C-alpha cells in the first residue's frame, strides 16, 4: 500500500532548506525533487528506500517505515556532482552505473545571464559542444555540433527532446550569399526560464535508445514541474541592454571619388561609390544624391552610432504544486526584444501546462501542453542583401553622414535615396520601413501513462506532438530593391509536425545479493512532416499594396517532406555489488527514407563502469582519492537519410516559355540556381562506430573532481551528397561512401578552492579537443565541396586527409621558395586556386569561477576557442571600397608622394616599372588586386571571451520571512562583455555568414554585449 | 513498413517528364540562356570583348576596364552552363535512345555539338567526350578535359554521323512541341548540322592546316558546301517568349537585365565601334538597333576600355528589338539567333574567297540582305544600301574582302556575343588598345582582347587533376593564352 511521504531536506552545516534535492525510490525511476523551501512529497511503500541526492552533498538513504514525514539533513560532499543524471527517455539514473559521462546544465547555470535564447545560453557550459550564435539576436537560429562534424553533407545538429517529446528544430530560413533573413529555428522559441535542466548526451552509448535521430547527439531538456506541497509561485524578470561589441575600423580622412589618371588629381564625384576621393576638408560639396551640397568631412562614429542600445525584457511566472498524487505546473513567459537595429523587434509568449495524477496506486497519467507564439518584425537582412545595414555602413563613402542619410532617406517618389554604388541601400530606409514580419504558433503536447504492472515491472506509454505554424512575409516596395524594381511580396507558410508514440517496459530486479538487473524494452514510432507553401507576387497592380492578389505575376510553390520511422529497442544493465555495471543495448530501426528492402537496420552497444573506489577495499575510506570510476563504451549507431533521396524528380518551370513548360533536374530554374542532386535507389543505412573510455575521479573528500573522456568515432559509408565537378552536369550525387574519423578528448575539472563559512570559491573548467579527418571519400574524389555559393571567391569543402572544413580560394602567386610574386606594375599576382584555411578549431575551453560571500555570489564565465580560420568578405569589400583603416597607407601617391611600396627584394615577374619602383603603387589598384586574392582575407578565428558575468544577492531569510517570501534574489548580469583575445580587427570572430557552417563572414550582424538586471521571487 | 514508399514519394514533383518538356528545357537553357548566364557570358564578357555592347558609362555597375577577369562570373558561365545544359541534354539523348527515336537521337547530339562548340570557344580545352553519353550519372565522376582540336574534330565528325543518320528521313521527332527551333523537323536539323560544321571547319581551318590536316579540313568544307546550308527558310531562330515571364524564376534575357534592375547600373549601351560602323556607312540597321541619346539626340556609343566615362543619358539606348519596352512588354524582341541565314551566307562567302567555290560577292550581299531582314529593315532600304554603299560590295585584295565579310558577320552577330568574340579573336578584326592615357591598357591583357576565359575555380577545387592536366597541355590558365584555333 503506497502512502504519501513528505518532509523537508536541509543542509546539515547551516540548517538552510535545500531546493532541488532529488528524492528517489531506490531501484526505480520514481522520484521527485524538493521545492525552494526544501519540501518534497511522494508516494512510497513501507520498506522502500528513499535516496536523497543533491549536488555537493553526500547522498543519504532512508527506509520508509510507519512515518509519513521524513526530514533529512544532508552533509556537504562537494564534488559529488553527477550522482543522479537524466539519461535517454528522461530516465534518471545513477551516474556511476553509466559507461559514459552525462553532462548537465541546471536551471541556475543556464539562466544566470538571462540569455533569452536557450542555445546561446548553453555556450561555454558543456565540454565538446560548439554553438554557433544566432546571427541577428535572440530569435535567430543557432547551430550546435557535438564532438565535431561527422556528416559531409547532411545536418550535424543534435536531436532535441523536451520532456520526452522529440521536437523539430527546423530552420525556417537563413540568409544565403544573395541575402535573406534568419527567421529562427526550433530552439529559438523555447523559454529558458521554464527549463529545469539540460542533459547533453554525446556518445553513441548514451544516445543508443534514440536511434538514428540521435546520431549527432541528443539535447535532453527537462522543464520544471510541480514538487512542493503547497502552491508555489516563482517569478523571474530580467531587463538587458545590448550594444555593438565590435565595430570595424574605418579610415576618416578621404571621401568619395577617384583618382583621375588624365589629370593626376583626386576628384570628388558622387557617381563613384568608393572612398577613393580627395582628402576630407570640411568644404561644401555636391550632396550624395545630387541635391544641394553637404559638408565634406569625416564621420568617425557612424557605424556604432547607427545602432541603438537594444533592449530585452523577459518575464516568467511559474505556478506549481504537488499534492496527494497530483502535480501541476503552469508557466508563462514572455520576451520582448528591440534589436540594436531600429525597427527590428521580437516578441514571444510561452504558455505551459504540465500535470500528472496518480489514478490509483499503480497508474499515473501525466501530460503537458506548451503553446508558444512568437512575432518578429523587420529582422535584419544578411550577407549581400540590399537592405543589410552592415553592408551599407561598411561601404558608405566616408563623407556621407548618418544624419544626412537619415534626414533624406526617401526620394520624392517614396523610393529609398541611395548613394551611387551597386546594390546598396540607404540604411535608414531599411530601418524605417517594414521589410519583413513573421509569426510562429507552436504547440507541443504530450500524454503519458505509467503503470506498475508487477513488482519491478513498469510500463510507460506516451504520445506526443510538436506542431508549429510559421507565416512570414518579405515586403519589397516599388523602386526599393534592385532585384525587384516593380515590387514584390514573398509569403512563406510552413507547417512542421512531429508526432511520436513510445511504449517502454522497465524491469528492475535484484538477481541475488550481489547482482542486480535493470532491463528495458521499447517501441517507438515517429512521423515527421514539413509542409511549406511559398507564394511570390511581383509587379504591383496598385503600388505598395501588399497582397498576393495585387500583383501582375504570381507564383505558388508548395512542397511537402515526410518521413516515418519505426523502432524496437532494448537494454539491460547488470550490476555487481553496486560497483561494477555492464549495459548492453540493441536497436532496430525501419526508416521510410531508405529503399524498402534496406529500410531495416540494426545496431548494438555495450558499455560498462567500474567504481574502483568502492571495489578496492583499500580505497573505500580513502579521502584523498574519494571516488574513482572507470568507464568504457562501444556503440554502433545507425543513420538513415533525408526523404526523397531515392528517385530523381523533375522540376517544372513556373511558367510557360512560348507555350511550353520545361522539365529539368535541379533546384530552381534560374540560371544561378544550384544544379541537380542525382538520387540513388540503392542506399543502405550508414553505421558509425563509437568507442569511448574515461574516468571520473574525486579527491580530497570530493573537493576536487576531474573527469576525462577519450572518444573515437568512425562514420563510415555515410549517405553522402557527393559534390561533383560542375562539368559533370550535376551538383552532387547521393551515394554511400566515405569515412570520417573524429577523435578527441574532453576534460572536466571542478574544484572547491575555498570553502569557508561565509566564503566559497569554486572553479569549473571544461576543455575539449576534437580532431577530425576525412579518411576516405568516394573513388577518385579528393575534395567534397560543402558550399560553393560565394561566387566561388571562397569554397568550403573537405579534403581527403584533412579535418573538416577547409577553405579554398585564390592564392598569392608564389615562387618555388614561397615568396609572393609581384607583377611589373608592382602588384601581387593572383595564383591558382588552393586550400587557404581550415575552419576546424584546435580546442574549445571554458572556465567558470563562482564566488559566494554570505548572500552575495559572483559568477564569471570565460569561453574560448583556439584555432580555426575565418574568411572575411567584409574586410575584403571594405578594403576594395577604400573605407577600411588599412587603406590609408599610400594615399600620398595621389598627391605625388609614395604609394604602397613594393617590398625591397620582392620577387618580380619581369622588370619592375621604374616609377613603381620609385614610389610604389596606387593604393586603390593595390587593394583592388588583393580583392582578387582570397588568401589575403583568411584570418585566425580564435577568441577568449568574457561570456557571462553575474553578481547576485539573495535576500536573507530574516527579511523574507517578514514578506512571506521564500526566495528573493536580485542580480546584475552581463553577456559577451568583452573579447579578451581575438585576431580579427573588424569583427567578432564568432560572427558568421549563416548558421549552416562556420568559417565565412559576410557583413554579419554585429554581436552584442549585454548588461542587465534580473529579479527572482518565489513565494 | 506499410506505406513507407508512399511517404517517401514527393507528392509535388514528378519522376516522369514528357519529352517535349525535356526538349524545351534543353533549348531554353542552351540557346536562349537564362538571365544570370547571359548577363555574365554574353553581355559583360563576350559582347564587351567583341566591342558590341558596353557597360562603360558613368554609374555602371561594371568596371570600365572591360578586359578584366572576374573569377566569380567566369565560374558562373562554366559551372551554370554545364549544370543547366549538359544533364538535360544527356537526359534527352537517353530518352530518345530508350524509345529508339533515331532522329531524336541525332537532333539531341546536334544540339550538344552546338553547345560544346560555344564552350570550347570560351575556354579552350574542356570536358567533352566524357559528358556526351546517354547516362545521367557519369561512370567517371570527374570528367577529363579534351583538347580543343579533338573537340573540334569530334564534333565535326559526329555532325557528319548525325547527318547521315537522318539521311532522307522526314519522321518528325517525338516531343516536337518542345523544339522551338525546328518543330521536330529532322531535315531542318540536318541543314543546321551542316552549317554548324561549316562554321567550325572555317574557324578551325588555320589550326587544322597548321596541324597538317589541310586535306581533312578541305574535304569537310567541300562536303558542307555540296549539301544544303541554312537560308532564310530554315534559320535556327528561337523566338523569345511573347508574354511576360513570370518573376525572376524564369528569367528572361537582355530585357530582364536592362529593365529588371533598378538604377542605371545595369543599363548597358551599344559600343562605339558598332554604332560607328553603321553610322559611317548609312546603314539602315542603325535606327533599328539604337535609340539616340536622351541628351543630345546622338548616336553616341561607348568606347570599350575608355577611361572617360560618358553620362548614360548621352549614350544610345538599345532599341526595343533588343530589350523590349519593359520586363513585361517583350513582344518586340527579335529571336535568338542560334544559327542565322546571314551567317550561313557569310560563311559561304568566306569559303568562296578561300577558293572553295561560289560567288563571294553575291553571297556577301545575300548575307547583308538577310541580316537587314532580320533587323526588320524595309526590303527597299536594304536594296538601296546594297546598291549604293561601297561597303556592300566586296573589293580589294582577298584579305581586304575577308575583312569586309567579317565586319558584316560581326555586325550581324549583335546579341550573340559568343560568336562575335570568337570572330574577332580569330580574325584580329579589332586592334589592341595601346593608348594608356585614354584607355585602360592594363594587365592582364594590356589592351588586347582576351583570348579565352580562365577555368572555373569550382572545377579547380573539385576536378583539380584534370584542370591541371588541361593547363599543362594548353598553356597558362590566363586570358592571354591563345586557344588552339586562334593561330594569329
Amino acid at each position: 500500500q503506497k502512502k504519501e511521504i513528505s518532509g523537508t531536506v536541509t543542509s546539515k552545516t547551516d540548517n538552510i532548506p535545500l531546493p532541488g534535492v532529488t528524492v528517489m525510490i531506490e531501484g526505480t525511476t520514481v522520484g521527485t525533487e524538493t521545492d525552494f523551501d526544501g519540501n518534497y512529497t511522494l508516494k512510497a511503500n513501507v520498506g522502500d528506500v528513499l535516496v536523497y541526492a543533491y549536488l555537493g552533498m553526500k547522498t543519504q538513504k532512508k527506509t520508509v517505515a510507519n512515518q509519513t514525514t521524513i526530514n533529512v539533513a544532508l552533509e556537504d560532499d562537494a564534488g559529488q556532482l553527477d550522482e543522479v543524471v537524466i539519461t535517454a527517455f528522461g530516465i534518471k539514473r545513477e551516474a556511476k552505473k553509466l559507461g559514459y559521462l552525462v553532462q548537465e546544465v541546471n536551471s541556475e547555470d543556464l539562466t544566470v545571464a538571462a540569455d533569452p535564447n536557450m542555445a546561446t545560453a548553453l555556450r561555454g557550459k558543456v565540454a565538446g559542444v560548439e554553438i554557433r550564435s544566432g546571427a541577428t539576436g535572440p530569435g535567430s537560429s543557432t547551430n550546435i555540433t557535438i564532438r565535431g562534424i561527422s556528416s559531409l553533407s547532411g545536418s550535424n545538429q543534435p536531436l532535441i527532446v523536451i520532456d520526452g517529446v522529440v521536437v523539430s528544430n527546423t530552420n525556417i530560413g537563413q540568409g544565403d550569399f544573395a541575402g535573406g533573413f534568419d527567421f529562427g529555428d526550433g530552439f529559438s522559441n523555447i523559454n529558458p526560464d521554464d527549463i529545469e535542466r539540460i542533459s547533453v548526451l554525446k556518445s553513441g552509448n548514451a544516445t543508443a535508445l534514440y536511434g538514428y535521430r540521435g546520431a549527432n547527439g541528443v539535447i535532453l531538456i527537462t522543464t520544471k514541474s510541480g514538487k512542493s506541497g503547497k502552491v508555489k509561485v516563482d517569478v523571474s524578470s530580467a531587463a538587458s541592454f545590448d550594444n555593438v561589441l565590435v565595430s570595424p575600423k574605418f579610415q576618416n580622412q578621404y571621401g568619395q571619388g577617384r583618382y583621375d589618371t588624365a589629370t593626376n588629381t583626386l576628384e570628388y564625384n558622387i557617381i563613384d561609390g568608393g572612398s577613393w576621393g580627395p582628402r576630407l576638408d570640411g568644404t561644401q560639396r555636391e550632396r550624395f544624391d545630387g541635391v544641394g551640397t553637404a559638408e565634406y568631412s569625416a564621420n568617425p562614429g557612424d557605424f556604432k552610432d547607427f545602432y541603438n542600445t537594444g533592449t530585452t525584457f523577459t518575464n516568467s511566472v511559474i505556478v506549481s504544486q504537488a499534492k496527494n498524487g497530483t502535480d501541476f505546473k503552469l508557466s508563462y513567459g514572455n520576451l520582448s526584444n528591440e534589436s540594436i537595429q531600429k525597427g527590428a523587434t521580437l516578441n514571444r509568449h510561452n504558455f505551459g501546462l504540465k500535470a500528472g495524477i496518480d489514478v490509483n496506486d499503480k497508474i499515473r497519467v501525466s501530460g503537458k501542453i506548451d503553446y508558444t507564439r512568437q512575432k518578429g518584425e523587420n529582422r535584419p537582412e544578411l550577407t549581400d542583401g540590399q537592405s543589410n545595414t552592415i553592408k551599407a555602413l561598411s561601404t558608405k563613402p566616408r563623407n556621407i553622414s548618418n544624419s544626412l542619410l537619415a534626414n533624406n532617406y526617401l526620394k520624392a517618389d517614396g523610393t529609398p535615396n541611395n548613394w551611387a554604388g551597386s546594390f546598396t541601400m540607404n540604411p535608414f530606409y531599411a530601418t524605417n520601413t517594414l521589410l519583413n514580419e513573421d509569426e510562429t504558433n507552436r504547440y507541443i503536447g504530450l500524454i503519458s501513462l505509467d503503470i506498475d504492472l508487477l513488482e519491478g515491472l513498469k510500463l510507460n506509454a506516451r504520445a506526443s506532438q510538436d506542431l508549429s505554424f510559421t507565416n512570414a512575409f518579405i515586403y519589397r516596395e516599388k523602386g526599393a530593391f534592385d532585384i525587384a524594381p516593380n515590387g514584390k511580396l514573398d509569403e512563406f507558410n510552413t507547417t512542421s509536425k512531429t508526432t511520436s508514440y513510445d511504449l517502454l517496459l522497465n524491469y528492475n530486479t535484484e538477481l541475488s545479493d550481489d547482482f542486480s538487473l535493470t532491463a528495458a524494452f521499447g517501441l517507438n514510432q515517429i512521423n515527421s512532416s514539413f509542409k511549406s507553401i511559398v507564394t511570390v507576387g511581383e509587379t504591383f497592380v496598385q503600388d505598395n499594396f501588399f497582397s498576393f492578389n495585387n500583383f501582375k505575376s504570381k507564383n505558388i510553390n508548395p512542397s511537402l517532406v515526410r518521413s516515418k520511422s519505426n523502432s524496437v529497442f532494448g537494454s539491460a544493465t547488470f550490476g555487481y555489488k553496486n560497483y561494477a555495471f555492464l549495459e548492453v543495448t540493441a536497436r532496430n530501426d525501419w526508416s521510410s527514407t531508405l529503399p524498402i528492402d534496406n529500410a531495416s537496420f540494426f545496431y548494438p552497444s555495450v558499455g560498462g563502469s567500474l567504481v574502483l573506489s568502492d571495489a578496492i577495499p583499500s580505497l573505500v575510506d580513502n579521502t584523498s582519492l574519494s571516488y574513482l570510476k572507470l568507464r568504457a563504451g562501444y556503440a554502433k549507431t545507425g543513420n538513415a537519410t533525408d526523404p526523397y533521396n531515392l528517385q530523381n524528380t523533375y522540376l517544372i518551370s513556373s511558367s510557360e516559355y512560348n507555350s511550353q513548360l520545361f522539365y529539368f533536374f535541379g533546384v530552381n530554374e534560374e540560371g544561378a540556381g544550384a544544379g541537380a542532386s542525382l538520387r540513388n535507389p540503392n542506399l543502405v543505412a550508414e553505421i558509425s562506430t563509437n568507442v569511448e573510455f574515461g574516468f571520473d575521479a574525486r579527491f580530497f573528500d570530493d573537493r576536487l573532481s576531474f573527469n576525462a573522456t577519450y572518444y573515437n568515432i568512425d562514420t563510415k559509408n555515410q549517405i553522402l551528397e557527393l559534390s561533383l565537378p560542375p562539368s559533370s552536369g550535376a551538383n552532387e550525387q547521393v551515394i554511400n561512401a566515405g569515412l570520417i574519423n573524429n577523435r578527441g578528448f574532453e576534460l572536466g575539472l571542478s574544484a572547491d578552492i575555498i570553502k569557508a563559512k561565509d566564503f566559497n570559491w569554486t572553479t569549473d573548467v571544461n576543455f575539449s579537443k576534437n580532431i577530425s579527418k576525412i579518411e576516405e571519400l568516394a573513388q577518385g574524389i579528393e575534395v567534397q565541396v560543402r558550399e560553393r555559393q560565394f561566387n566561388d571567391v571562397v569554397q568550403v569543402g573537405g579534403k581527403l586527409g584533412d579535418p573538416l572544413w577547409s577553405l579554398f580560394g585564390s592564392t598569392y602567386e608564389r615562387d618555388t621558395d614561397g615568396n609572393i610574386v609581384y607583377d611589373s606594375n608592382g602588384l601581387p599576382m593572383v595564383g591558382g586556386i588552393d586550400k587557404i584555411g581550415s575552419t576546424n578549431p584546435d580546442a574549445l575551453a571554458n572556465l567558470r569561477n563562482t564566488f559566494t560571500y554570505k548572500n552575495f555570489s559572483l559568477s564569471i564565465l570565460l569561453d574560448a576557442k583556439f584555432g580555426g580560420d575565418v574568411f572575411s568578405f567584409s574586410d575584403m569589400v571594405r578594403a576594395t571600397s577604400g573605407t577600411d583603416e588599412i587603406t590609408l597607407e599610400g594615399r600620398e601617391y595621389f598627391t605625388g608622394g609614395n604609394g604602397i611600396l613594393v617590398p625591397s627584394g620582392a620577387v618580380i615577374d619581369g622588370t619592375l616599372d621604374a616609377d613603381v619602383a620609385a614610389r610604389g603603387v596606387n593604393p586603390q589598384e593595390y587593394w583592388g588586386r588583393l580583392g582578387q586574392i582570397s588568401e589575403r582575407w583568411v584570418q585566425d578565428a580564435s577568441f577568449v571571451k568574457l561570456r557571462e558575468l553575474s553578481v547576485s544577492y539573495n535576500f536573507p531569510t530574516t527579511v523574507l520571512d517578514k514578506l512571506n517570501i521564500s526566495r528573493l534574489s536580485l542580480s546584475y548580469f552581463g553577456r559577451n562583455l568583452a573579447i579578451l583575445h581575438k585576431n580579427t580587427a573588424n569583427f567578432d570572430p564568432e560572427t558568421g555568414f549563416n548558421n549552416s557552417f562556420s568559417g565565412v563572414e559576410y557583413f554579419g550582424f554585429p554581436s552584442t554585449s549585454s548588461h542587465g538586471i534580473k529579479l527572482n521571487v518565489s513565494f | 513498413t506499410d506505406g513507407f514508399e508512399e511517404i517517401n514519394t514527393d507528392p509535388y514533383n514528378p519522376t516522369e517528364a514528357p519529352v517535349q518538356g525535356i526538349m524545351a528545357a534543353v533549348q531554353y537553357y542552351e540557346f536562349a540562356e537564362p538571365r544570370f548566364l547571359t548577363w555574365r557570358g554574353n553581355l559583360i564578357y563576350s559582347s564587351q570583348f567583341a566591342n558590341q555592347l558596353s557597360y562603360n558609362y558613368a554609374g555602371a555597375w561594371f568596371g570600365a576596364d572591360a578586359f578584366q577577369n572576374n573569377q566569380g562570373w567566369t565560374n558562373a558561365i562554366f559551372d551554370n552552363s554545364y549544370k543547366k545544359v549538359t544533364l538535360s541534354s544527356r537526359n534527352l539523348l537517353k530518352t530518345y535512345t530508350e524509345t529508339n527515336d533515331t532522329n531524336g537521337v541525332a537532333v539531341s547530339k546536334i544540339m550538344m555539338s552546338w553547345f560544346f562548340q560555344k564552350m570550347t570557344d570560351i575556354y579552350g580545352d574542356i570536358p567533352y567526350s566524357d559528358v556526351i553519353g546517354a547516362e545521367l550519372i557519369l561512370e567517371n565522376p570527374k570528367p577529363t578535359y579534351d583538347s580543343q582540336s579533338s573537340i573540334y574534330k569530334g564534333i565535326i565528325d559526329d555532325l557528319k554521323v548525325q547527318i547521315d543518320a537522318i539521311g532522307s528521313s522526314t519522321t518528325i521527332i517525338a516531343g516536337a512541341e518542345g523544339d522551338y527551333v525546328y518543330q521536330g523537323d529532322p531535315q531542318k536539323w540536318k541543314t543546321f548540322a551542316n552549317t554548324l560544321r561549316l562554321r567550325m571547319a572555317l574557324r578551325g581551318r588555320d589550326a587544322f592546316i597548321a596541324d597538317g590536316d589541310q586535306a581533312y579540313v578541305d574535304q569537310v568544307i567541300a562536303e558542307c558546301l555540296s549539301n544544303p546550308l541554312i537560308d532564310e527558310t530554315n534559320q535556327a531562330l528561337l523566338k523569345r517568349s511573347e508574354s511576360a515571364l513570370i518573376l525572376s524564376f524564369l528569367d528572361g534575357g537582355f530585357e530582364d537585365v536592362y529593365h529588371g534592375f533598378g538604377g542605371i547600373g545595369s543599363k548597358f549601351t551599344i559600343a562605339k565601334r558598332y554604332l560607328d560602323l553603321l553610322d559611317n556607312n548609312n546603314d539602315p540597321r542603325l535606327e533599328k538597333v539604337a535609340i539616340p541619346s536622351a541628351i543630345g539626340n546622338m548616336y553616341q556609343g561607348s568606347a570599350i576600355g575608355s577611361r572617360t566615362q560618358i553620362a548614360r543619358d548621352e549614350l544610345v539606348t538599345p532599341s526595343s528589338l533588343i530589350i523590349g519596352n519593359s520586363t513585361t512588354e517583350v513582344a518586340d524582341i527579335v529571336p535568338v539567333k542560334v544559327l542565322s541565314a546571314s551567317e550561313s551566307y557569310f560563311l559561304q562567302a568566306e569559303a568562296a574567297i578561300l577558293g572553295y567555290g561560289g560567288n563571294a560577292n553575291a553571297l556577301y550581299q545575300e548575307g547583308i540582305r538577310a541580316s537587314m531582314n532580320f533587323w526588320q529593315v524595309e526590303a527597299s532600304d536594304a536594296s538601296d544600301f546594297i546598291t549604293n554603299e561601297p561597303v556592300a560590295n566586296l573589293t580589294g585584295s582577298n584579305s581586304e574582302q575577308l575583312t569586309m565579310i567579317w565586319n558584316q558577320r560581326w555586325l550581324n552577330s549583335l546579341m550573340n556575343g559568343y560568336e562575335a568574340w570568337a570572330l574577332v579573336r580569330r580574325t584580329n578584326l579589332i586592334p589592341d588598345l595601346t593608348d594608356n592615357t585614354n584607355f585602360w591598357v592594363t594587365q592582364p591583357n594590356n589592351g588586347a582582347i582576351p583570348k579565352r576565359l580562365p577555368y572555373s575555380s569550382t572545377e579547380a577545387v573539385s576536378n583539380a587533376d584534370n584542370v591541371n592536366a588541361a593547363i599543362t597541355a594548353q598553356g597558362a590558365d590566363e586570358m592571354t593564352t591563345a586557344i588552339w584555333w586562334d593561330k594569329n
Side-chain angles (χ1 to χ4, degrees), chain A residues 258 261 271 421-423 482-483 485-486 488 531 536-538 553-555 558-560 562-564 566 590-593 596 643-644 646-652 654-658 660-665 668-676 678-679 724-731 733 779-783 785 788 791-792 795 808 823-825 833, chain B residues 1-2 4-18 20-22 24-25 28-29 32 34-36 58-59 61 69 72 75 78-80 82-84 86-88 90-91 127 131 136-138 141-143 177-178 180 238-242 245-251 259-263 307 309 327 443 457-463 465:
Chain A
R258 71 166 124 139
T261 48
I271 279 167
S422 53
F423 288 94
D482 285 332
I483 54 162
N486 302 314
K488 190 174 178 190
K531 177 159 187 155
V536 183
E538 204 168 272
S553 335
K554 298 173 205 179
N555 186 260
S559 72
L560 173 63
R562 298 171 290 188
S563 68
K564 181 177 179 177
N566 295 320
W590 289 262
S591 167
S592 69
T593 61
I596 201 83
Y644 312 155
L646 309 180
Q647 231 180 342
N648 291 320
T649 53
Y650 284 94
L651 213 62
I652 308 174
S654 55
S655 66
E656 290 182 343
Y657 186 83
N658 285 327
Q660 186 64 53
L661 291 169
F662 315 163
Y663 285 68
F664 59 101
F665 300 118
N668 66 30
E669 62 205 83
E670 211 218 349
L678 297 170
R679 311 300 174 175
L724 298 174
S727 56
S728 72
N731 245 32
Q733 70 192 49
Q779 187 66 39
I781 300 282
E782 293 94 42
V783 175
V785 181
R788 46 168 65 138
N791 266 352
D792 298 308
Q795 295 175 60
F808 297 87
D823 64 21
S824 55
N825 295 333
I833 307 294
Chain B
T1 56
D2 260 10
F4 268 21
E5 281 174 326
E6 193 203 324
I7 288 169
N8 201 32
T9 302
D10 184 340
Y12 287 112
N13 297 304
T15 52
E16 304 291 331
Q20 62 266 31
I22 305 171
Y28 171 75
Y29 286 119
R35 178 189 68 209
F36 186 82
W61 285 335
N69 176 49
N75 293 356
F78 186 95
D79 299 355
N80 290 297
Y82 268 91
K83 288 196 281 191
K84 288 296 180 194
T86 62
L87 190 68
S88 287
R90 296 205 296 270
N91 192 35
V131 297
L136 298 183
I137 293 184
L138 302 174
K142 297 197 302 180
E177 309 91 307
Y180 299 122
L238 193 152
K239 203 172 60 168
R240 309 236 32 142
S241 191
E242 288 182 6
L245 296 173
I246 289 204
L247 310 169
S248 44
F249 290 128
L250 186 61
D251 38 16
H259 300 291
F261 291 80
R307 289 186 187 263
Q309 291 199 319
T327 50
Q443 295 208 352
S457 61
T458 320
E459 286 278 306
V461 171
S462 54
N463 198 7
D465 295 348

Side-chain angles (χ1 to χ4, degrees), chain B residues 350-471:
Chain B
E350 181 174 337
I353 299 284
L354 294 173
Y356 293 98
N359 180 337
N361 198 41
L363 290 161
Y364 175 67
Q365 293 183 341
E366 272 313 296
I368 293 173
R369 196 183 303 278
S371 176
M372 296 213 171
N373 195 23
F374 176 86
W375 285 106
Q376 302 174 15
V377 171
E378 292 289 328
S380 57
D381 291 346
S383 293
D384 287 352
F385 176 83
I386 289 165
T387 314
N388 300 327
E389 291 300 324
V391 76
N393 266 286
L394 289 180
T395 50
S397 66
N398 272 3
S399 103
E400 283 164 345
Q401 293 190 41
L402 280 175
T403 302
M404 290 176 78
I405 295 167
W406 291 333
N407 265 323
Q408 283 300 323
R409 186 172 158 197
W410 175 80
L411 280 176
N412 174 64
S413 63
L414 184 67
M415 296 176 77
N416 185 343
Y418 302 108
E419 274 301 306
W421 177 35
L423 183 71
V424 300
R425 276 181 286 168
R426 177 174 65 101
T427 61
N428 299 321
L429 205 53
I430 299 171
D432 294 354
L433 299 172
T434 50
D435 171 5
N436 192 26
T437 311
N438 294 308
F439 293 91
W440 295 96
V441 181
T442 56
Q443 295 208 352
N445 291 292
N446 279 324
I449 289 171
K451 296 183 186 309
R452 63 183 283 275
L453 290 180
Y455 287 126
S456 156
S457 61
T458 320
E459 286 278 306
V461 171
S462 54
N463 198 7
D465 295 348
N466 291 318
V467 171
N468 290 333
I471 293 168

